[in-house]
Amino acid sequence: MPPTASALSPGVFVVSLSPVWTMAAFLQTRWYLVRRLTITKGFFVLLFLCVASLVFLSYYVMSFSTPLHTAPPPPALQCSNRQDALPAVNSHVNNAKQLRLDSRVLVLAETLYTSLGQEILVVLEANRFGYKVALAGKSLPSLTHADKGKFGVVVFERLESYLNMDSWNRQLLDKYCRDYDVGIVAFARPDEALYDAQVRDFPLFVHTKLSLRHYEVDAASPVPRVTRAGEVALGPLPSDEWTVFVGNHSTYEPVAWARLNVIGGGSSAVFPVTEDGALVEQRRYAPVMRDCGLFDGVQRVLFGNGLNFWLHKVLLLDALSFLSHGKLSISLDRFVLVDVDDIFVGRPGTRMKRKDVEELLSAQQRIQRIVKNFRFNLGFSGKFFRHGTEEENDGDDALIENRNAFWWFGHSWGHTQAHTIANLTSMIEDMQLNQGFAQLYEIPVNNSYSVAPHHSGVYPVHEELYEAWKSVWHIKVTSTEEYPHLRPARHRRGFIHRDIMVLPRQTCGLFTHTIFINKFPGGREKLDASIQGGDLFQIILYNQISIFMTHLSNYGNDRLGSYTFESVFKFLQCWTNLRLETVPPPKLANIYFGLYPDEKTPIWRNPCDDHRHFEIWSNQKSCERLPQFLVIGPQKTGTTALYTFLAMHPSIVSNFESPSTFEEVQFFNGRNYVRGLDWYMDHFPVPANGTKRLVFEKSANYFDSEEVPERAFALLPRAKLICILINPIRRAYSWYQHMRAHKDPVALQHSFYEVISADDNVRHSVKELKHRSLNPGLYAQHIDRWLGHFDPSQIMVIDGELLRSDPIEVMNSIQDFLEVDQHIDYSRLIK
């Protein structure tokens, strides 16, 4: 019942409530009071929880974000072999033999994609061995050339494929091996479990599908050279697919030993118990066997498993060296340089403290017992000096106090990426600030070496960086991971640009954020696996020169940097005969380019084809300035006329003319190539917004150049190519007349017939004119070289005679080939 009102006095209302509404009003009022009380209490409860959370968070951060230095223990690895009791290192070089062999390997793989086959190729590539891959079961490739063997060793991915060869190929291969003293490496990979089974045609028996443990190298074997005997790889070996060999002839000698692993495995099921009741697991078996060749005249090294066990990679190198009589040997000298980037750089909590610096010094001294002349090489950015916590600032002071114990090199002052600084003056000023810091604190920077932050500007080349380095620091050497690409690491190479030697740099799994062992990807087990035969070990094994990138943060906190390198150097000392040494960067660079002189000239690649390269390339540069097609020649076939016709097209634009070579840039051959990518791009117009014009270059001497196809493909892999061919005799005569017109003395003194018929006894100048007259006309040879890099669909061959007689038809076909957006009627342009 709703409330009613009665008029007792004017303007005043008295509300009369029914019992129901009275109770409702009471409850509503009570709820309002309770709600206010609940909100108030909730507010204070929430406030209390927030304060408690902040207190707990502060405690957590203070307890765990500050490094506790629960670092990995110092490497406890000690070599069991006595250094003074080891046998002499096997040289494998037989000076008495007159070997007629190339230093190449023939790999007979099951398919092109099998894992073991790929692993074998990785080892060969990483050690820069030449090789050829053929499929097992097919006809053998040609093994000889001009009474010389093409291969020093033959490697079978599967021993079974060698045993199952058809009689003709088997006899041919064995005869080649006997005639040229070539050995065979083979990996046993049977499909079924066998016990005491005889190998077909040989007095050799095998047990297969085994699990093994406790692997050791036989010190009496002549095969190990890089591998050092005397150690035992304790514990179970990877996989339960092992084969062991038992010889029944004096031709067989074990290279390595292992024991049967029956713990948790089934290997014992196929082995009986010996007469005295002891399991055969107490005996040693040979997982790698040498065949001395006494049975059939062919030497072999047989592996009872693939390369998933790290030591087999080292023994494979030894087998290649031994069987090739040293022609496929690697040097035992290893030069290592450990860079510590970002000195003084890093947020508080990640930097080094005084105790970390003291440990760095101690680690350096311990490593010097293994690595001759070892020193850490410290790269600094002075702007961030004393920018950490109080303890970390004291660590910075400790580095300065011990500055003469280390080598030093300069980064940029503000750790700025070089490609972001377009102005040479600004870059020089930045470096001068860092140089002034070094002078103020008397830091010895005298190795003519530097590393760019994030490798920016080294490759792809930022010319301002190179000029500033030379102007301020007098830099002669730098290093980068980016040339030619970051991955795969085994393909990294060096080059020289602007007289600065660029060396390949390696990673070791430690980056700026890798500061705690419990945060290392994969944990301690993963790091130790890299050290003990894994990636880090293999980098030093395969590369005679290794420069490693580490960071300041890797030597504070859990000190993973010191642990990692001391561990790997000790492991190398235990298991290999490698001689480790550190030398200053300029000497290191001279050694590198003495070993690999062919790498001095870089290969310029398209920065837009590699996202890492594109990220460290100046945003003021554009790949659109690179040509979309090339007119490659050869000379005296009508290339100048074609250049003129192409320039008439509104959708096609040519390069700028050169003062010395006129319409030709001639970048990919000759001295212009070393001037770099920026120099080349400056010969082309900046693309206008909204236009789709095709840019091209014409250089007629590209056609017959040996190096141009590779260089052109590296930079312009999608470019189209146009070449013009005429009768090669007519082309040769045209060139001869061209030289006469230019008053060449040889052409003026000799007739065309005398030039092209000249023998090897004539003057060099005559032979040179003969070569330039005839060599470009070897059309099939030169086109085949281009087809080794470019797809046939990218190449258009024009009949030069047709270009002369019917240029309109030719130009129409060129428009179709280039897929220009706008076809034009050349009949209106060519009269």
Side-chain angles (χ1 to χ4, degrees):
M1 179 178 180
T4 58
S6 59
L8 297 179
S9 59
V12 178
F13 286 91
V14 177
V15 179
S16 175
L17 299 175
S18 70
V20 175
W21 276 95
T22 303
M23 179 59 70
F26 170 79
L27 292 175
Q28 187 175 14
T29 304
R30 182 181 178 88
W31 168 246
Y32 172 77
L33 294 174
V34 170
R35 187 174 62 180
R36 289 201 56 182
L37 181 60
T38 303
I39 293 174
T40 303
K41 288 176 64 177
F43 172 79
F44 283 107
V45 169
L46 184 61
L47 180 62
F48 172 80
L49 290 175
C50 289
V51 172
S53 299
L54 289 172
V55 171
F56 177 79
L57 182 61
S58 299
Y59 172 79
Y60 182 86
V61 170
M62 291 300 294
S63 300
F64 296 98
S65 66
T66 302
L68 297 178
H69 286 303
T70 56
L77 181 65
Q78 299 295 332
C79 302
S80 61
N81 50 29
R82 288 177 50 204
Q83 303 300 306
D84 57 352
L86 292 172
V89 177
N90 297 315
S91 71
H92 292 172
V93 177
N94 190 337
N95 295 321
K97 290 182 178 291
Q98 298 296 322
L99 298 173
R100 297 166 292 141
L101 295 171
D102 286 336
S103 300
R104 300 180 71 222
V105 179
L106 174 60
V107 179
L108 292 167
E110 296 304 297
T111 72
L112 297 178
Y113 309 104
T114 49
S115 58
L116 178 56
Q118 290 299 311
E119 288 180 290
I120 293 169
L121 298 187
V122 165
V123 173
L124 298 178
E125 289 178 359
N127 291 276
R128 303 179 185 235
F129 291 149
Y131 65 86
K132 178 180 177 60
V133 180
L135 294 181
K138 305 292 184 180
S139 297
L140 289 170
S142 173
L143 301 175
T144 61
H145 176 71
D147 199 33
K148 184 177 182 181
K150 289 185 175 181
F151 309 102
V153 176
V154 178
V155 177
F156 278 86
E157 183 183 351
R158 293 191 67 184
L159 172 61
E160 294 74 17
S161 296
Y162 172 64
L163 300 174
N164 294 326
M165 293 179 74
D166 64 78
S167 59
W168 168 258
N169 280 301
R170 173 70 176 276
Q171 291 175 16
L172 181 65
L173 179 62
D174 287 353
K175 184 177 186 304
Y176 170 76
C177 291
R178 284 189 289 266
D179 290 348
Y180 291 89
D181 208 358
V182 170
I184 294 175
V185 173
F187 295 84
R189 302 174 66 195
D191 296 322
E192 56 185 331
L194 302 170
Y195 171 67
D196 207 25
Q198 184 172 0
V199 176
R200 182 193 303 173
D201 301 329
F202 292 98
L204 180 68
F205 295 82
V206 296
H207 312 308
T208 70
K209 302 291 184 180
L210 302 179
S211 176
L212 301 180
R213 62 189 175 95
H214 301 350
Y215 193 106
E216 59 184 306
V217 177
D218 194 312
S221 173
V223 174
R225 175 176 172 271
V226 178
T227 313
R228 170 170 283 178
E231 295 295 323
V232 179
L234 297 173
L237 303 182
S239 112
D240 55 0
E241 299 285 326
W242 285 83
T243 295
V244 296
F245 304 95
V246 180
N248 192 26
H249 192 282
S250 59
T251 191
Y252 296 109
E253 296 179 355
V255 177
W257 298 98
R259 299 180 188 276
L260 193 66
N261 181 37
V262 297
I263 302 175
S267 297
S268 59
V270 298
F271 281 90
V273 177
T274 58
E275 293 179 0
D276 59 1
L279 283 173
V280 289
E281 65 171 324
Q282 304 301 323
R283 291 160 44 190
R284 299 193 306 170
Y285 301 89
V288 181
M289 184 72 83
R290 174 199 174 198
D291 181 346
C292 302
L294 303 179
F295 180 72
D296 65 352
V298 179
Q299 291 201 70
R300 304 173 183 87
V301 175
L302 308 178
F303 286 81
N305 204 302
L307 299 179
N308 55 343
F309 178 47
W310 67 269
L311 196 52
H312 276 194
K313 294 182 174 72
V314 193
L315 286 173
L316 174 58
L317 292 176
D318 288 335
L320 294 173
S321 174
F322 176 77
L323 294 173
S324 68
H325 311 285
K327 291 185 72 69
L328 289 164
S329 289
I330 62 174
S331 171
L332 296 179
D333 293 318
R334 291 295 180 274
F335 299 94
V336 292
L337 180 66
V338 179
D339 289 345
V340 186
D341 293 353
D342 304 347
I343 294 295
F344 309 130
V345 181
R347 68 181 188 276
T350 66
R351 299 156 67 106
M352 295 175 70
K353 301 175 181 177
R354 182 171 289 272
K355 287 186 177 180
D356 299 322
V357 177
E358 293 170 354
E359 169 56 27
L360 186 66
L361 285 164
S362 298
Q364 179 170 279
Q365 292 170 356
R366 293 192 298 269
I367 292 174
Q368 286 172 348
R369 303 188 191 114
I370 306 171
V371 182
K372 182 180 178 182
N373 300 323
F374 179 82
R375 282 196 185 191
F376 287 108
N377 195 30
L378 276 53
F380 65 95
S381 292
K383 178 179 179 179
F384 305 99
F385 180 64
R386 294 182 61 84
H387 273 51
T389 65
E390 184 176 348
E391 283 186 292
E392 291 170 339
N393 291 344
D394 186 46
D396 287 358
D397 293 338
L399 284 169
I400 295 297
E401 292 166 14
N402 294 280
R403 56 190 174 275
N404 292 318
F406 307 108
W407 288 339
W408 294 78
F409 64 91
H411 285 315
S412 61
W413 165 254
H415 207 256
T416 308
Q417 296 186 47
H419 75 279
T420 64
I421 307 175
N423 185 282
L424 176 60
T425 302
S426 299
M427 189 168 293
I428 288 176
E429 290 173 351
D430 182 272
M431 290 186 185
Q432 286 174 337
L433 288 171
N434 218 28
Q435 186 181 57
F437 172 83
Q439 293 169 349
L440 176 64
Y441 289 97
E442 299 180 344
I443 297 175
V445 186
N446 49 23
N447 269 331
S448 301
Y449 177 76
S450 186
V451 173
H454 306 282
H455 304 283
S456 164
V458 180
Y459 189 87
V461 164
H462 192 60
E463 296 292 350
E464 290 81 0
L465 173 65
Y466 283 76
E467 291 302 319
W469 265 345
K470 293 169 68 174
S471 174
V472 178
W473 291 108
H474 307 294
I475 296 301
K476 297 179 181 178
V477 186
T478 186
S479 61
T480 184
E481 308 160 29
E482 299 293 343
Y483 177 76
H485 298 287
L486 177 67
R487 294 185 180 87
R490 67 182 181 276
H491 290 168
R492 292 177 194 160
R493 296 293 185 262
F495 66 95
I496 299 176
H497 184 62
R498 304 294 186 196
D499 297 322
I500 293 179
M501 294 176 281
V502 182
L503 299 179
R505 208 179 195 211
Q506 307 293 343
T507 59
C508 61
L510 302 180
F511 303 96
T512 52
H513 59 277
T514 318
I515 58 180
F516 297 113
I517 186 62
N518 61 347
K519 297 295 180 66
F520 187 87
R524 170 76 176 274
E525 183 179 351
K526 180 75 171 180
L527 177 60
D528 284 346
S530 176
I531 292 167
Q532 298 176 18
D535 291 343
L536 181 56
F537 170 86
Q538 290 170 32
I539 287 173
I540 301 175
L541 173 67
Y542 296 154
N543 294 280
Q544 194 166 347
I545 292 173
S546 298
I547 301 176
F548 288 102
M549 175 190 71
T550 64
H551 305 84
L552 165 83
S553 56
N554 305 139
Y555 298 87
N557 304 290
D558 278 358
R559 301 170 184 163
L560 295 183
S562 302
Y563 171 80
T564 297
F565 284 99
E566 189 173 357
S567 297
V568 74
F569 292 148
K570 281 191 173 183
F571 193 81
L572 285 158
Q573 183 186 46
C574 292
W575 281 100
T576 76
N577 290 308
L578 299 177
R579 300 180 288 261
L580 305 176
E581 184 177 358
T582 296
V583 298
K587 183 176 181 181
L588 193 66
N590 288 329
I591 293 172
Y592 183 90
F593 288 107
L595 293 169
Y596 313 116
D598 293 343
E599 293 184 15
K600 292 181 179 180
T601 301
I603 296 292
W604 305 119
R605 299 180 186 275
N606 194 321
C608 298
D609 290 342
D610 185 317
H611 76 278
R612 285 182 61 92
H613 290 174
F614 186 73
E615 289 175 356
I616 55 175
W617 198 42
S618 173
N619 58 15
Q620 298 185 11
K621 301 173 184 178
S622 170
C623 293
E624 293 182 6
R625 291 189 74 178
L626 293 171
Q628 284 85 47
F629 72 96
L630 304 175
V631 177
I632 60 176
Q635 293 170 308
K636 310 312 296 179
T637 59
T639 55
T640 300
L642 178 60
Y643 173 87
T644 303
F645 297 154
L646 288 169
M648 296 176 179
H649 200 295
S651 298
I652 298 176
V653 59
S654 70
N655 54 271
F656 302 136
E657 289 196 1
S658 167
S660 57
T661 54
F662 305 103
E663 78 274 9
E664 298 193 353
V665 180
Q666 296 185 9
F667 172 68
F668 292 106
N669 60 339
R671 62 182 180 272
N672 288 335
Y673 190 70
V674 299
R675 295 182 176 181
L677 182 57
D678 287 3
W679 182 91
Y680 184 52
M681 293 175 65
D682 286 342
H683 282 76
F684 299 94
V686 177
N689 292 332
T691 61
K692 281 190 175 182
R693 296 197 298 174
L694 293 178
V695 179
F696 82 99
E697 177 209 347
K698 189 273 282 191
S699 292
N701 54 6
Y702 285 171
F703 178 77
D704 54 295
S705 173
E706 292 189 4
E707 68 271 11
V708 168
E710 178 187 4
R711 291 176 176 180
F713 183 77
L715 183 60
L716 308 170
R718 290 172 295 279
K720 294 186 175 182
L721 312 175
I722 298 176
C723 62
I724 307 175
L725 303 184
I726 63 174
N727 186 309
I729 297 176
R730 181 176 174 182
R731 197 222 67 85
Y733 184 72
S734 179
W735 176 257
Y736 168 78
Q737 291 293 346
H738 171 81
M739 297 304 292
R740 285 181 63 89
H742 285 76
K743 308 300 182 184
D744 178 72
V746 177
L748 293 174
Q749 294 170 11
H750 296 82
S751 68
F752 176 64
Y753 177 78
E754 290 172 338
V755 170
I756 63 172
S757 62
D759 58 27
D760 292 338
N761 297 320
V762 297
R763 300 193 318 270
H764 175 75
S765 57
V766 177
K767 288 192 290 186
E768 180 64 22
L769 179 57
K770 175 184 177 181
H771 177 79
R772 290 306 308 153
S773 297
L774 298 180
N775 183 65
L778 303 175
Y779 296 150
Q781 174 182 317
H782 301 311
I783 291 177
D784 186 62
R785 188 185 302 117
W786 285 95
L787 288 172
H789 299 278
F790 290 86
D791 188 83
S793 64
Q794 294 175 265
I795 303 176
M796 181 180 190
V797 178
I798 294 175
D799 181 350
E801 301 298 341
L802 184 61
L803 179 64
R804 173 190 292 265
S805 61
D806 192 352
I808 296 173
E809 178 182 343
V810 172
M811 295 311 298
N812 286 335
S813 63
I814 290 176
Q815 290 185 88
D816 293 336
F817 173 67
L818 297 177
E819 298 178 299
V820 294
D821 289 340
Q822 176 187 359
H823 272 251
I824 65 170
D825 185 0
Y826 267 97
S827 64
R828 297 182 179 182
L829 302 175
I830 302 175
K831 303 299 183 181

